[in-house]
Amino acid sequence: MAASAAVRSAVSLTQRVVRVSPDCSICPLYRLNACTGPTDGFTAPNRRLRTSIGVCQSEDSSSPEEDKRQHLAPREKVNVVFIDRSGQRIPVEARVGDNALHLAHKHGIELEGACEASLACSTCHVYVSSEHYEKLPEPEEREDDMLDMAPMLQENSRLSCQIVLTPELDGMELTLPKVTRNFYVDGHVPKPH
Amino acid sequence: MLTGVRGLSSSSGPRVCIVGGGPAGFYTAQQLLKARQDAAVDIYERLPVPFGLVRFGVAPDHPEVKNVINTFTQTAQHERCSFHGNVNVGKDVTIDELRQAYHAVVLSYGAEGNRSMGIPGEDLPGVFSAKDFVGWYNGLPSNKELHPDLSFETAVILGQGNVALDVARILLAPVEMLKETDITQNALEALAGSKVRRVLIVGRRGPLQIACTIKELREMVNLPNTRADMLPADFEGIAEALKDLPRPRKRLTELMMKAVKEGGDDKAEKCWGLRFFRSPVEVLAGADEKRAAGIRLALNKLEGSGESVRAEVTGQLEDVDCGLIISSIGYKSIPIDPAVPFDPRRAIVPNEMGRVQDTAGLYCSGWVKRGPTGVIATTMNDSFDTARVLIQDMEAGKLDLSVNKPGAQAITALLQTRGVRMVLFSQWEKINAEEEKRGKSLGKAREKLLDVDEMLKIRNVFISIFF
């Protein structure tokens, strides 16, 4: 058993996922004494997102400590509420510049990001509260193309991996679509032809 | 003897076996592990290497789609999960043996066959299934000797789904676009020397029924040094229908109309076109009768409306000269074990929400459950559904978890006595490192190993170094 573990660590890989324990000190849940314990290993807080525009900021960039370390003015807080598939509201304190999908992962929200924020899937599909939807920049064509494939597409649908927090988005609510599989509203299932 | 890495020595938790190491298998495993902290999940895969169509189906110029491999890798490395490659379920071990060793078995083995056109001349040299053609440029071991002849000017692809468009794009893409990807070296060299200049993508019905998605169509429209060659007649009445279409269909149709209108650079060396209302009826042999030289198409008209639009023959025929014919009309699942019910008409395992019909403890997810359509996200949602149903059954007592099941211990012992050389995930990681190393020296993302024996050799070297 130990030998296999040693063997695994000896194999060098270019993995984009680093499977380490989360650094609790930077997590707002820990700092607010709201942490419910270590995750089950799937929310991978240290997973680096390779976005379509470059490597996403690491979670360190979202803490006041990190801002101080980099001699930056502390970034403004933005409050976001995630509403998960069971309707539960999960308020989250974030910062200007944070990526919504990354934020969701950090807080254990069940949003897959299969393509890791590179506009090649629709698994991070969310509904944006209408007053904040207007404040988001227009989706680029590639995002619209991927949104077209998301089940239960609505007027206020966006891919959360493309949402970067700004001060005007304070109070934004991101709702996860309840439906997880493709079907028509009336229950119709297309027949294979 | 290498056993699965497991932090769990307690035998009181549910043990689940998953047959198939592609997206369906991994996503089902992911959900099971998350939902039950006491569950142990073992994935059995026929090839020595994991990831199924993410590795062998997704086009080489779509590397972002393959990012999902990172998620799957995390799952495989989970302490309660183990991956066993090079195990042929149905041949090396039976479903009944698996059902005895596990509380539940999930079939996620996808669709390895393809629908045939069922027309004369289909077996002539020069005719390929898209499944095999894609397998060839993606390094599927069983397709490495395909040697498609690319010395003809015109290629005809039957079918207009994303796979058909992938094939068209790979045939016409400039080599610069491909040479740093994980396309196999022999395919890259064949494509570099290819004489194919014109690709027609043929569908039975009309523009409003096209099965591809907008991303793939846009890639064709934007392909360098190519122009679109459409038949305006195929688009009669389409502009009027636009306003009533749901957004995805509307945007896709608008893009097609734009391609009809604008065509593209007349000086472009290569061209591609969509052809509608045409069904293949015969592959025509050349004068020497030895290989395909053309295809005979029947012209259709559409009857019905909405979802039930059907193509009906008009009696008119059209012959197209071409030397490369690729049929992309669908993958197809096959039965792998007589103990499992199978619906030959729909080519799926009959099931109710993922519970295999009349067979307690047997489940299915992915293409073998719903049929071979959809992207990774579709399979993901489907696999999550199956996992949920399985968990429900556990919690409702439909699966007897009070019985201890031996799981991988029993199966690996059985496989050993049968001389099966399993490949564990850590050994795949060695193969992975070797592929990346070979790729680096060629300036590519990776150079896939094409030979199962070679993969096993690397695995053996790995064992002998450490044990």
Coordinates of all heavy atoms in Angstrom, one line a residue, chain A residues 1 3-4 7-8 11 13-17 19 40-42 44 47 50 112 114-116 118 120 123 141 144-149 153 180-182 184 188 190 193, chain B residues 5-6 27 30 34 64-65 67-68 70 73-75 77-78 115 204-205 213-215 218 247-248 251 307 377-378 380-381 384-385 388 426 429 432 436 462 466-467:
Chain A
M1 N 0.8 -1.2 0.0 CA 0.0 0.0 0.0 C 0.9 1.2 0.0 O 0.7 2.1 -0.8 CB -0.9 0.0 1.3 CG -2.2 0.7 1.1 SD -3.5 -0.2 0.3 CE -4.2 -1.1 1.6
A3 N 4.0 1.4 -0.7 CA 4.9 1.4 -1.9 C 4.1 2.0 -3.1 O 4.7 2.8 -3.8 CB 5.3 -0.1 -2.2
S4 N 2.9 1.6 -3.2 CA 2.1 2.2 -4.3 C 2.0 3.7 -4.2 O 2.0 4.4 -5.2 CB 0.7 1.5 -4.4 OG 0.8 0.2 -4.3
V7 N 5.2 5.2 -5.1 CA 5.3 5.0 -6.6 C 4.5 6.1 -7.3 O 5.0 6.8 -8.2 CB 4.8 3.6 -7.0 CG1 4.1 3.6 -8.3 CG2 6.0 2.7 -7.1
R8 N 3.3 6.4 -6.8 CA 2.5 7.4 -7.4 C 3.1 8.7 -7.3 O 3.1 9.5 -8.3 CB 1.1 7.4 -6.8 CG 0.1 6.6 -7.5 CD -1.3 7.0 -7.1 NE -1.3 7.3 -5.7 CZ -2.4 7.1 -5.0 NH1 -3.5 6.8 -5.5 NH2 -2.4 7.4 -3.7
V11 N 6.0 9.3 -9.8 CA 5.7 9.5 -11.2 C 5.5 11.0 -11.5 O 4.6 11.5 -10.9 CB 4.5 8.7 -11.6 CG1 4.0 9.0 -13.1 CG2 4.8 7.2 -11.5
L13 N 4.1 14.0 -13.5 CA 3.0 14.2 -14.5 C 2.8 15.7 -14.7 O 3.0 16.5 -13.8 CB 1.7 13.7 -13.9 CG 1.6 12.2 -13.6 CD1 0.3 12.0 -12.7 CD2 1.5 11.4 -14.8
T14 N 2.3 16.1 -15.9 CA 1.8 17.4 -16.0 C 0.3 17.4 -15.7 O -0.5 17.2 -16.6 CB 2.0 18.0 -17.4 OG1 2.4 16.9 -18.2 CG2 3.1 19.0 -17.4
Q15 N 0.0 17.4 -14.5 CA -1.5 17.4 -14.1 C -1.9 18.8 -13.8 O -1.1 19.5 -13.1 CB -1.7 16.5 -12.9 CG -1.5 15.1 -13.2 CD -2.7 14.5 -14.0 OE1 -3.7 15.2 -14.2 NE2 -2.5 13.3 -14.5
R16 N -3.0 19.2 -14.3 CA -3.5 20.5 -13.9 C -4.2 20.5 -12.5 O -4.4 21.5 -11.9 CB -4.4 21.1 -14.9 CG -3.6 21.7 -16.1 CD -4.6 22.3 -17.1 NE -4.2 21.8 -18.5 CZ -4.6 20.8 -19.1 NH1 -5.5 20.0 -18.5 NH2 -4.2 20.4 -20.3
V17 N -4.5 19.3 -12.0 CA -5.1 19.2 -10.7 C -4.1 18.8 -9.7 O -3.4 17.9 -9.8 CB -6.2 18.1 -10.8 CG1 -6.8 17.9 -9.4 CG2 -7.3 18.6 -11.8
R19 N -3.8 17.5 -6.0 CA -4.6 16.9 -5.0 C -4.0 17.1 -3.7 O -3.3 16.2 -3.2 CB -4.9 15.4 -5.3 CG -6.0 14.8 -4.5 CD -6.4 13.5 -5.0 NE -7.1 12.7 -4.0 CZ -6.6 11.8 -3.3 NH1 -5.4 11.5 -3.4 NH2 -7.3 11.2 -2.4
D40 N -15.0 16.4 0.5 CA -14.9 15.0 0.2 C -13.8 14.8 -0.8 O -13.7 13.7 -1.4 CB -16.2 14.5 -0.3 CG -16.7 15.2 -1.5 OD1 -16.0 16.1 -2.0 OD2 -17.8 14.9 -2.0
G41 N -13.0 15.8 -1.1 CA -12.0 15.6 -2.1 C -12.4 16.0 -3.5 O -11.5 15.9 -4.4
F42 N -13.6 16.3 -3.7 CA -14.0 16.6 -5.1 C -14.1 18.1 -5.4 O -14.2 18.5 -6.6 CB -15.3 15.9 -5.4 CG -15.1 14.5 -5.6 CD1 -15.4 13.6 -4.6 CD2 -14.6 14.0 -6.8 CE1 -15.2 12.3 -4.8 CE2 -14.3 12.7 -7.0 CZ -14.6 11.8 -6.0
A44 N -11.8 20.2 -4.9 CA -10.5 20.5 -5.3 C -10.1 22.0 -5.2 O -10.0 22.7 -6.3 CB -10.2 20.0 -6.7
R47 N -7.5 23.4 -7.6 CA -7.6 23.2 -9.0 C -7.4 24.5 -9.7 O -8.2 25.4 -9.5 CB -8.9 22.5 -9.4 CG -9.0 22.2 -10.8 CD -10.4 21.8 -11.2 NE -10.8 20.6 -10.6 CZ -12.0 20.0 -10.9 NH1 -12.8 20.5 -11.8 NH2 -12.3 18.9 -10.3
R50 N -7.9 26.7 -16.2 CA -7.4 27.3 -17.4 C -8.5 27.9 -18.2 O -9.3 27.2 -18.8 CB -6.6 26.3 -18.2 CG -5.7 26.9 -19.2 CD -5.0 25.9 -20.1 NE -6.0 25.2 -20.8 CZ -5.7 24.1 -21.5 NH1 -4.5 23.8 -21.7 NH2 -6.7 23.5 -22.2
E112 N -20.4 21.7 -12.0 CA -19.2 21.1 -12.7 C -18.6 22.1 -13.6 O -19.3 23.1 -14.1 CB -19.7 19.9 -13.6 CG -20.1 18.7 -12.9 CD -18.9 18.0 -12.3 OE1 -17.8 18.0 -12.9 OE2 -19.0 17.5 -11.2
A114 N -16.6 21.1 -16.5 CA -15.9 19.9 -17.2 C -14.8 20.4 -18.0 O -13.7 19.8 -18.0 CB -16.9 19.1 -18.0
C115 N -14.9 21.5 -18.8 CA -13.8 21.9 -19.7 C -12.9 22.9 -19.0 O -12.0 23.5 -19.6 CB -14.4 22.5 -20.9 SG -15.0 24.2 -20.7
E116 N -13.1 23.1 -17.7 CA -12.3 24.0 -16.9 C -12.2 25.4 -17.5 O -11.1 26.0 -17.8 CB -10.9 23.4 -16.8 CG -10.9 22.1 -16.0 CD -9.6 21.5 -15.8 OE1 -8.6 22.0 -16.3 OE2 -9.5 20.4 -15.1
S118 N -13.0 26.8 -20.4 CA -12.4 27.1 -21.7 C -13.5 27.2 -22.8 O -13.2 27.1 -24.0 CB -11.3 26.1 -22.1 OG -11.8 24.8 -21.9
A120 N -15.8 25.2 -23.7 CA -16.0 24.0 -24.6 C -17.1 23.0 -24.0 O -17.1 21.9 -24.4 CB -14.6 23.2 -24.7
T123 N -21.5 22.9 -18.8 CA -21.8 22.3 -17.5 C -21.8 23.3 -16.3 O -22.3 23.0 -15.2 CB -20.9 21.2 -17.1 OG1 -19.5 21.7 -17.1 CG2 -21.0 20.0 -18.1
E141 N -19.4 35.4 -28.7 CA -20.0 34.4 -29.6 C -19.8 33.0 -29.1 O -20.7 32.1 -29.1 CB -19.5 34.6 -31.0 CG -20.3 33.9 -32.1 CD -19.7 34.3 -33.5 OE1 -18.6 33.9 -33.8 OE2 -20.4 35.0 -34.2
D144 N -22.1 32.1 -26.3 CA -23.5 31.9 -26.8 C -23.6 30.5 -27.5 O -24.6 29.8 -27.4 CB -23.9 33.0 -27.8 CG -24.5 34.2 -27.1 OD1 -25.1 34.0 -26.0 OD2 -24.4 35.3 -27.7
D145 N -22.6 30.1 -28.2 CA -22.6 28.8 -28.9 C -22.7 27.7 -27.9 O -23.4 26.7 -28.1 CB -21.3 28.6 -29.7 CG -21.3 29.4 -31.0 OD1 -22.4 30.1 -31.3 OD2 -20.3 29.5 -31.7
M146 N -22.0 27.8 -26.8 CA -22.0 26.7 -25.8 C -23.4 26.8 -25.0 O -23.9 25.8 -24.7 CB -20.9 26.9 -24.8 CG -19.5 26.5 -25.4 SD -19.5 24.7 -25.9 CE -19.4 25.0 -27.6
L147 N -23.9 28.0 -24.7 CA -25.1 28.1 -24.0 C -26.3 27.5 -24.8 O -27.2 26.9 -24.2 CB -25.5 29.6 -23.8 CG -24.9 30.3 -22.6 CD1 -25.2 31.8 -22.6 CD2 -25.5 29.7 -21.3
D148 N -26.2 27.5 -26.2 CA -27.2 26.9 -27.0 C -27.4 25.4 -26.7 O -28.4 24.8 -27.0 CB -26.8 27.0 -28.5 CG -27.2 28.4 -29.0 OD1 -27.7 29.2 -28.3 OD2 -26.9 28.6 -30.2
M149 N -26.3 24.8 -26.1 CA -26.4 23.4 -25.8 C -26.9 23.1 -24.4 O -27.1 21.9 -24.1 CB -25.0 22.8 -26.0 CG -24.4 23.1 -27.3 SD -23.5 21.8 -28.0 CE -22.2 21.7 -26.9
L153 N -32.5 26.3 -21.2 CA -31.9 27.7 -21.5 C -33.0 28.7 -21.2 O -34.1 28.6 -21.6 CB -31.4 27.7 -22.9 CG -30.6 28.9 -23.3 CD1 -29.2 28.9 -22.6 CD2 -30.4 28.9 -24.8
T180 N -31.3 18.4 -14.6 CA -30.0 18.0 -15.0 C -29.9 17.3 -16.3 O -28.9 17.0 -16.8 CB -29.4 17.1 -13.9 OG1 -30.3 16.0 -13.7 CG2 -29.2 17.8 -12.6
R181 N -31.1 16.8 -16.8 CA -31.0 16.1 -18.1 C -31.8 16.8 -19.1 O -32.7 17.6 -18.9 CB -31.4 14.7 -17.9 CG -32.9 14.5 -17.9 CD -33.3 13.1 -18.4 NE -33.0 12.1 -17.4 CZ -33.8 11.1 -17.2 NH1 -34.7 10.8 -18.1 NH2 -33.5 10.2 -16.3
N182 N -31.5 16.5 -20.4 CA -32.2 17.1 -21.5 C -33.6 16.5 -21.6 O -33.7 15.3 -21.8 CB -31.5 16.8 -22.8 CG -30.2 17.6 -23.0 OD1 -30.2 18.8 -22.7 ND2 -29.2 17.0 -23.5
Y184 N -37.8 17.8 -22.9 CA -38.6 18.9 -23.3 C -39.6 19.2 -22.1 O -39.9 18.4 -21.3 CB -39.4 18.5 -24.5 CG -38.5 18.5 -25.7 CD1 -37.6 17.5 -25.9 CD2 -38.6 19.5 -26.7 CE1 -36.7 17.4 -27.0 CE2 -37.8 19.4 -27.8 CZ -36.9 18.4 -27.9 OH -36.1 18.4 -29.0
H188 N -41.9 15.4 -23.3 CA -41.7 14.7 -24.6 C -40.2 14.2 -24.7 O -39.3 15.0 -24.4 CB -42.0 15.6 -25.8 CG -41.6 15.1 -27.1 ND1 -42.2 14.1 -27.8 CD2 -40.5 15.5 -27.9 CE1 -41.6 13.9 -28.9 NE2 -40.6 14.7 -29.0
P190 N -37.6 13.0 -27.5 CA -37.5 12.8 -29.0 C -37.1 11.4 -29.4 O -36.3 10.7 -28.7 CB -36.3 13.7 -29.4 CG -35.8 14.3 -28.2 CD -36.6 13.9 -27.0
H193 N -34.2 8.8 -34.9 CA -34.7 8.6 -36.2 C -33.7 7.9 -37.1 O -32.5 7.9 -36.8 CB -35.0 10.0 -36.9 CG -33.9 11.0 -36.8 ND1 -33.9 12.0 -35.8 CD2 -32.8 11.2 -37.5 CE1 -32.9 12.7 -35.9 NE2 -32.2 12.3 -36.9
Chain B
V5 N -5.0 0.4 -4.7 CA -4.7 1.2 -3.6 C -6.0 1.5 -2.8 O -6.9 2.1 -3.4 CB -4.0 2.5 -4.0 CG1 -3.8 3.4 -2.8 CG2 -2.7 2.2 -4.7
R6 N -6.0 1.2 -1.6 CA -7.3 1.4 -0.9 C -7.0 1.7 0.6 O -6.2 1.1 1.2 CB -8.1 0.1 -0.9 CG -9.6 0.3 -1.2 CD -10.2 -1.0 -1.1 NE -10.4 -1.7 -2.4 CZ -11.2 -1.3 -3.4 NH1 -11.9 -0.2 -3.2 NH2 -11.3 -1.9 -4.5
Y27 N -18.0 9.5 -14.5 CA -19.0 10.4 -13.9 C -19.9 9.7 -12.9 O -20.3 10.2 -11.8 CB -19.8 11.2 -14.9 CG -19.2 12.5 -15.4 CD1 -19.0 12.8 -16.7 CD2 -18.7 13.4 -14.4 CE1 -18.4 14.0 -17.2 CE2 -18.1 14.6 -14.9 CZ -18.0 14.9 -16.2 OH -17.4 16.0 -16.7
Q30 N -17.9 9.1 -9.8 CA -17.7 10.4 -9.1 C -18.9 10.6 -8.1 O -18.7 11.0 -7.0 CB -17.5 11.5 -10.1 CG -17.4 12.9 -9.4 CD -17.4 14.0 -10.5 OE1 -16.8 13.9 -11.5 NE2 -18.1 15.1 -10.2
K34 N -19.1 10.4 -3.9 CA -19.5 11.7 -3.2 C -20.7 11.4 -2.3 O -20.8 11.9 -1.2 CB -19.9 12.7 -4.3 CG -19.9 14.1 -3.8 CD -20.2 14.9 -5.1 CE -19.9 16.4 -4.8 NZ -19.8 17.2 -6.0
E64 N -9.5 21.5 -25.3 CA -10.2 22.0 -24.1 C -11.3 21.1 -23.7 O -11.6 20.9 -22.5 CB -10.9 23.4 -24.3 CG -10.3 24.4 -25.2 CD -10.5 23.9 -26.7 OE1 -11.6 23.5 -27.1 OE2 -9.6 24.1 -27.4
V65 N -11.9 20.4 -24.6 CA -12.9 19.4 -24.3 C -12.3 18.3 -23.5 O -13.0 17.7 -22.7 CB -13.6 18.9 -25.6 CG1 -14.6 17.8 -25.3 CG2 -14.2 20.0 -26.4
N67 N -10.2 18.6 -21.2 CA -9.8 19.0 -19.8 C -10.5 18.1 -18.8 O -10.1 18.0 -17.6 CB -10.2 20.5 -19.6 CG -9.2 21.4 -20.2 OD1 -8.1 21.0 -20.6 ND2 -9.5 22.7 -20.2
V68 N -11.7 17.6 -19.2 CA -12.4 16.8 -18.3 C -11.6 15.6 -17.7 O -11.9 15.0 -16.7 CB -13.8 16.3 -19.0 CG1 -13.5 15.2 -20.0 CG2 -14.8 16.0 -18.0
N70 N -8.9 15.7 -16.3 CA -8.4 16.1 -15.0 C -9.4 15.7 -13.9 O -9.0 15.2 -12.8 CB -8.2 17.6 -14.9 CG -7.1 18.0 -15.8 OD1 -6.2 17.2 -16.1 ND2 -7.1 19.2 -16.3
T73 N -9.3 11.9 -13.6 CA -8.0 11.5 -12.9 C -8.2 11.6 -11.4 O -7.8 10.7 -10.7 CB -6.9 12.4 -13.4 OG1 -6.7 12.1 -14.8 CG2 -5.6 12.1 -12.6
Q74 N -8.8 12.7 -11.0 CA -9.1 12.9 -9.6 C -9.9 11.8 -9.0 O -9.7 11.2 -7.9 CB -9.9 14.2 -9.3 CG -9.1 15.3 -8.6 CD -10.0 16.3 -8.1 OE1 -11.1 16.6 -8.7 NE2 -9.7 16.9 -7.0
T75 N -10.9 11.4 -9.8 CA -11.8 10.3 -9.4 C -11.0 9.0 -9.2 O -11.1 8.3 -8.3 CB -13.0 10.1 -10.4 OG1 -13.7 11.3 -10.4 CG2 -13.9 8.9 -10.0
Q77 N -8.0 8.6 -8.7 CA -7.0 8.6 -7.6 C -7.6 8.6 -6.2 O -6.9 8.6 -5.2 CB -6.1 9.8 -7.8 CG -5.1 9.7 -9.0 CD -4.4 11.0 -9.3 OE1 -4.8 12.1 -8.8 NE2 -3.3 10.9 -9.9
H78 N -8.9 8.7 -6.2 CA -9.6 8.7 -4.9 C -9.3 7.4 -4.2 O -9.3 6.4 -4.8 CB -11.1 8.9 -5.2 CG -12.0 9.2 -4.0 ND1 -12.2 8.3 -3.0 CD2 -12.5 10.4 -3.7 CE1 -13.0 9.0 -2.1 NE2 -13.2 10.2 -2.5
R115 N -23.5 2.0 -37.0 CA -24.6 1.7 -37.9 C -24.1 1.6 -39.3 O -23.3 2.4 -39.7 CB -25.7 2.7 -37.8 CG -26.4 2.8 -36.4 CD -27.4 3.9 -36.4 NE -28.5 3.6 -37.4 CZ -29.3 4.6 -37.9 NH1 -29.2 5.8 -37.5 NH2 -30.2 4.3 -38.7
R204 N -30.1 13.3 -45.0 CA -31.3 12.8 -45.5 C -32.4 13.9 -45.6 O -33.2 13.9 -46.5 CB -31.9 11.7 -44.7 CG -31.3 10.3 -44.8 CD -31.9 9.4 -43.8 NE -31.9 9.9 -42.4 CZ -32.8 9.8 -41.6 NH1 -34.0 9.1 -41.9 NH2 -32.7 10.2 -40.3
R205 N -32.4 14.7 -44.6 CA -33.5 15.7 -44.4 C -32.9 17.1 -44.8 O -32.0 17.2 -45.5 CB -34.1 15.5 -43.1 CG -34.7 14.1 -42.9 CD -35.4 14.0 -41.5 NE -34.5 14.1 -40.4 CZ -35.0 14.2 -39.1 NH1 -36.3 14.1 -38.9 NH2 -34.1 14.3 -38.1
T213 N -23.9 20.8 -34.0 CA -24.1 22.1 -33.2 C -23.3 23.2 -33.8 O -22.4 23.0 -34.5 CB -23.8 21.8 -31.7 OG1 -22.4 21.3 -31.6 CG2 -24.7 20.8 -31.1
I214 N -23.7 24.4 -33.3 CA -23.2 25.6 -33.9 C -21.7 25.8 -33.8 O -21.0 26.3 -34.8 CB -23.9 26.8 -33.4 CG1 -23.7 28.0 -34.3 CG2 -23.5 27.1 -32.0 CD1 -24.5 29.2 -34.0
K215 N -21.1 25.3 -32.8 CA -19.6 25.4 -32.6 C -18.9 24.8 -33.8 O -18.0 25.3 -34.4 CB -19.2 24.8 -31.3 CG -17.7 24.7 -31.1 CD -17.3 24.3 -29.7 CE -15.8 24.2 -29.5 NZ -15.4 22.8 -29.4
R218 N -19.5 26.5 -37.1 CA -18.7 27.8 -37.2 C -17.2 27.5 -37.5 O -16.6 28.2 -38.2 CB -18.8 28.5 -35.8 CG -18.6 30.0 -36.0 CD -18.6 30.7 -34.6 NE -19.9 30.8 -34.0 CZ -20.9 31.6 -34.4 NH1 -20.7 32.4 -35.4 NH2 -22.1 31.5 -33.8
R247 N -34.1 29.4 -29.9 CA -32.8 30.1 -30.1 C -31.6 29.3 -30.6 O -31.0 29.7 -31.6 CB -32.3 30.7 -28.7 CG -31.0 31.3 -28.8 CD -30.5 31.8 -27.4 NE -29.1 31.3 -27.2 CZ -28.2 32.0 -26.6 NH1 -28.5 33.1 -26.0 NH2 -27.0 31.5 -26.4
P248 N -31.4 28.0 -30.1 CA -30.2 27.3 -30.6 C -30.4 26.9 -32.1 O -29.5 27.1 -32.9 CB -30.2 26.0 -29.8 CG -30.9 26.4 -28.5 CD -31.9 27.4 -28.9
R251 N -30.0 30.2 -34.3 CA -28.7 30.7 -34.5 C -27.9 29.8 -35.5 O -27.1 30.3 -36.3 CB -27.9 30.8 -33.2 CG -28.4 31.9 -32.2 CD -27.7 32.0 -30.9 NE -26.4 32.6 -31.1 CZ -25.2 32.0 -30.8 NH1 -25.2 30.8 -30.4 NH2 -24.1 32.7 -31.0
E307 N -41.3 17.7 -35.0 CA -40.4 16.7 -34.6 C -40.4 15.5 -35.6 O -39.5 14.7 -35.7 CB -40.8 16.1 -33.3 CG -40.2 16.9 -32.1 CD -38.7 17.0 -32.2 OE1 -38.0 16.0 -32.2 OE2 -38.1 18.1 -32.3
A377 N -21.3 16.6 -21.7 CA -22.2 17.2 -20.6 C -23.5 16.3 -20.5 O -24.0 16.1 -19.4 CB -22.5 18.6 -20.9
T378 N -24.0 15.9 -21.7 CA -25.2 15.1 -21.7 C -25.0 13.8 -20.9 O -25.8 13.3 -20.1 CB -25.6 14.7 -23.1 OG1 -25.2 15.7 -24.0 CG2 -27.1 14.4 -23.2
M380 N -22.7 13.3 -18.7 CA -22.5 13.6 -17.3 C -23.8 13.6 -16.6 O -23.9 13.0 -15.5 CB -21.8 15.0 -17.2 CG -21.6 15.4 -15.8 SD -21.1 17.2 -15.7 CE -22.6 18.0 -15.7
N381 N -24.8 14.4 -17.1 CA -26.1 14.5 -16.5 C -26.7 13.1 -16.3 O -27.3 12.7 -15.3 CB -27.0 15.4 -17.2 CG -26.6 16.9 -17.1 OD1 -26.0 17.3 -16.1 ND2 -26.8 17.6 -18.1
F384 N -25.0 11.0 -13.6 CA -25.4 11.5 -12.3 C -26.8 10.9 -12.0 O -27.1 10.6 -10.8 CB -25.4 13.0 -12.3 CG -24.1 13.7 -12.2 CD1 -23.9 15.1 -12.2 CD2 -22.9 12.9 -12.2 CE1 -22.7 15.7 -12.2 CE2 -21.6 13.5 -12.2 CZ -21.5 14.9 -12.2
D385 N -27.7 10.9 -13.0 CA -29.0 10.4 -12.8 C -29.0 8.9 -12.3 O -29.6 8.5 -11.4 CB -29.9 10.5 -14.0 CG -30.4 11.9 -14.3 OD1 -30.3 12.7 -13.4 OD2 -30.8 12.2 -15.4
R388 N -27.7 8.5 -8.9 CA -28.8 8.9 -7.9 C -29.7 7.7 -7.7 O -30.1 7.4 -6.5 CB -29.5 10.1 -8.4 CG -29.2 11.4 -7.6 CD -30.2 12.5 -8.0 NE -29.9 13.0 -9.4 CZ -29.0 13.9 -9.7 NH1 -28.3 14.4 -8.7 NH2 -28.8 14.3 -10.9
S426 N -2.0 3.9 -11.7 CA -0.6 4.3 -11.6 C 0.2 3.9 -12.8 O 1.2 4.6 -13.2 CB 0.0 3.8 -10.3 OG -0.2 2.5 -10.2
E429 N -0.6 6.1 -15.6 CA 0.2 7.3 -15.5 C 1.6 7.2 -16.1 O 2.1 8.2 -16.6 CB 0.2 7.8 -14.0 CG -1.2 8.2 -13.5 CD -1.3 8.5 -12.0 OE1 -0.4 7.9 -11.3 OE2 -2.2 9.2 -11.6
N432 N 1.0 7.4 -19.7 CA 0.7 8.8 -20.0 C 2.0 9.6 -20.1 O 2.2 10.4 -21.0 CB -0.2 9.3 -18.9 CG -0.6 10.8 -19.1 OD1 -0.9 11.2 -20.2 ND2 -0.6 11.5 -18.0
E436 N 3.5 11.7 -23.4 CA 3.9 13.1 -23.4 C 5.3 13.3 -23.7 O 5.7 14.3 -24.5 CB 3.5 13.7 -22.0 CG 2.0 13.8 -21.8 CD 1.7 14.4 -20.4 OE1 2.5 14.3 -19.5 OE2 0.5 14.9 -20.3
F462 N 7.5 -0.6 -15.5 CA 7.1 0.1 -14.3 C 7.1 -0.8 -13.1 O 7.6 -0.5 -12.1 CB 5.8 0.7 -14.6 CG 5.3 1.6 -13.5 CD1 6.0 2.7 -13.1 CD2 4.1 1.3 -12.9 CE1 5.5 3.5 -12.1 CE2 3.6 2.2 -11.9 CZ 4.3 3.3 -11.5
F466 N 9.9 -1.0 -9.6 CA 9.5 -0.7 -8.2 C 9.3 -1.9 -7.4 O 9.1 -1.8 -6.2 CB 8.3 0.2 -8.2 CG 8.6 1.6 -8.7 CD1 8.3 2.0 -10.0 CD2 9.2 2.5 -7.8 CE1 8.7 3.3 -10.4 CE2 9.6 3.8 -8.2 CZ 9.3 4.2 -9.5
F467 N 9.2 -3.1 -8.0 CA 8.9 -4.2 -7.2 C 9.8 -5.4 -7.5 O 10.0 -5.7 -8.6 CB 7.4 -4.7 -7.4 CG 6.5 -3.6 -6.9 CD1 5.9 -2.7 -7.9 CD2 6.1 -3.5 -5.6 CE1 5.1 -1.7 -7.4 CE2 5.3 -2.5 -5.2 CZ 4.8 -1.6 -6.1

